[in-house]
Amino acid sequence: MDAVTLSIWAVGALVLIALIFDFMNGFHDAANSIATVVSTGVLKPQHAVVFAAFFNLLAIAVFHLSVAATVGKGIVQAGVIDYHVVTGALIGAISWNVITWYWGIPSSSSHALIGGIVGAALVKAGPSVMVWGGIGKVVAFIFVSPLLGFLLGSLMMVLVSWICRKQAPGKVDHWFRRLQLASAAAYSLGHGGNDAQKTIGIIWMLLIATGWYSANHDMPPVWTIISCYMAIALGTMFGGWRIVKTMGQKITKLKPVGGFCAETGGAMTLFIATFFGIPVSTTHTITGAIVGVGSTQRASAVRWGVAGTIVWAWIFTIPASALIAALGYGISILLF
């Protein structure tokens, strides 16, 4: 097999693995889009996943590819990327997703991917190849996105409670069962817009590093955009029911009005982050918004022990996926 043929096979295999990761991202993060709308009884699970998947895919027509550019060019220097780095990054991200899915922990696929890139690149070339400004923004938003989700979710809940203070509870519930469809659609749109772009970014990075695409282009190939959005939408359709249960039932009990406020606050946070090209965790965002809504009722409405377990998963995601990616990089070097 000549070098060109081998390169085609290697790039093709890594693109396929990246799309599998994207599918798993949708599968793993389906809970973020549908947990509240399922837990409040507005949609049945099988209808909710199709609903969320449609709006994941629709995001292709709404958002600019600023997040993809950050992942592709703003985490590590382009010159350090090769087959082995991308292999290690994907092994780290996919492994951490599987571990947290199995235990029903809503961790971040986004941060698993960032951690994977960082871990593999560190082993290859050391800290000098890191783009610390880009990494700093990602790390900062580990804290900013849930806090912003918390703030916007709780403010939405206070505002809605004040507006509806003279209305009968049954009437309010009736209204917000319909309004929650709009908020769930907005959140799924934000989820697709931010999360699909992360895989677009890593494929774009791979194609540039291996010479199959010019670094002078401002946009990745169209086929990468379409395939990544389709993969995340299909993953969402299959859903991750273990995490749906944690997100929708274990943190706090939500009524349709609370689901609407949590999803709206979360969607606003995602739209802001995507506009500025910051790859954030949809898991962190919606968890913060759900906790914010629950805390406006009373502090005891939030199961802080469950929320605390989730926070520890957030903290460990980047270092854990980076460690696995470093091992994956070493295995790739030994085998290939």
Side-chain angles (χ1 to χ4, degrees):
M1 186 181 292
D2 60 53
V4 174
T5 304
L6 182 62
S7 177
I8 292 171
W9 277 100
V11 170
L14 286 173
V15 168
L16 179 60
I17 294 170
L19 291 174
I20 291 170
F21 167 78
D22 200 27
F23 175 89
M24 289 182 63
N25 191 344
F27 183 92
H28 188 273
D29 290 359
N32 303 342
S33 299
I34 65 173
T36 53
V37 80
V38 170
S39 69
T40 57
V42 172
L43 286 178
K44 293 181 179 179
Q46 61 269 33
H47 298 155
V49 290
V50 175
F51 180 87
F54 171 78
F55 285 99
N56 278 176
L57 190 58
L58 185 63
I60 196 172
V62 176
F63 296 102
H64 189 267
L65 295 174
S66 51
V67 173
T70 297
V71 174
K73 301 177 179 180
I75 303 299
V76 299
Q77 295 175 13
V80 77
I81 301 300
D82 60 13
Y83 299 109
H84 303 298
V85 170
V86 174
T87 300
L90 290 171
I91 288 173
I94 291 172
S95 298
W96 186 247
N97 268 2
V98 170
I99 291 167
T100 52
W101 169 81
Y102 179 80
W103 292 104
I105 300 169
S107 70
S108 168
S109 300
S110 311
H111 293 146
L113 181 60
I114 300 299
I117 295 170
V118 169
L122 274 173
V123 170
K124 179 182 179 182
S128 63
V129 299
M130 300 294 112
V131 180
W132 293 110
I135 294 170
K137 286 194 296 185
V138 173
V139 172
F141 266 76
I142 292 177
F143 306 98
V144 172
S145 63
L147 289 173
L148 190 56
F150 179 96
L151 177 64
L152 292 174
S154 57
L155 286 176
M156 284 293 301
M157 191 66 190
V158 170
L159 179 63
V160 167
S161 298
W162 184 81
I163 292 171
C164 300
R165 66 191 185 281
K166 296 181 180 179
Q167 302 296 327
K171 194 172 184 180
V172 172
D173 186 79
H174 177 78
W175 286 347
F176 280 94
R177 281 184 176 275
R178 284 152 181 77
L179 286 171
Q180 202 183 353
L181 293 175
S183 62
Y187 193 84
S188 295
L189 195 70
H191 172 228
N194 201 280
D195 274 22
Q197 290 193 38
K198 294 152 191 169
T199 307
I200 294 172
I202 198 168
I203 295 175
W204 189 6
M205 180 171 64
L206 171 67
L207 295 175
I208 291 172
T210 54
W212 288 102
Y213 198 69
S214 172
N216 296 325
H217 287 96
D218 294 329
M219 296 278 288
V222 173
W223 65 264
T224 64
I225 300 169
I226 295 171
S227 59
C228 287
Y229 273 101
M230 289 186 67
I232 200 168
L234 287 171
T236 298
M237 285 185 67
F238 282 85
W241 305 118
R242 290 172 182 261
I243 300 173
V244 167
K245 185 176 180 182
T246 299
M247 297 291 289
Q249 298 173 11
K250 289 187 178 179
I251 297 175
T252 188
K253 296 293 184 181
L254 292 176
K255 293 181 179 179
V257 63
F260 169 84
C261 293
E263 287 161 351
T264 302
M268 291 167 67
T269 303
L270 291 180
F271 285 17
I272 292 168
T274 303
F275 178 80
F276 286 106
I278 302 170
V280 299
S281 168
T282 52
T283 309
H284 296 190
T285 302
I286 195 62
T287 302
I290 290 172
V291 172
V293 167
S295 66
T296 62
Q297 302 167 32
R298 59 186 188 282
S300 60
V302 177
R303 294 187 174 95
W304 295 103
V306 175
T309 300
I310 293 170
V311 170
W312 279 112
W314 296 352
I315 293 169
F316 283 124
T317 291
I318 288 181
S321 58
L323 177 61
I324 299 170
L327 295 172
Y329 175 83
I331 291 168
S332 178
I333 289 289
L334 289 173
L335 294 180
F336 307 106

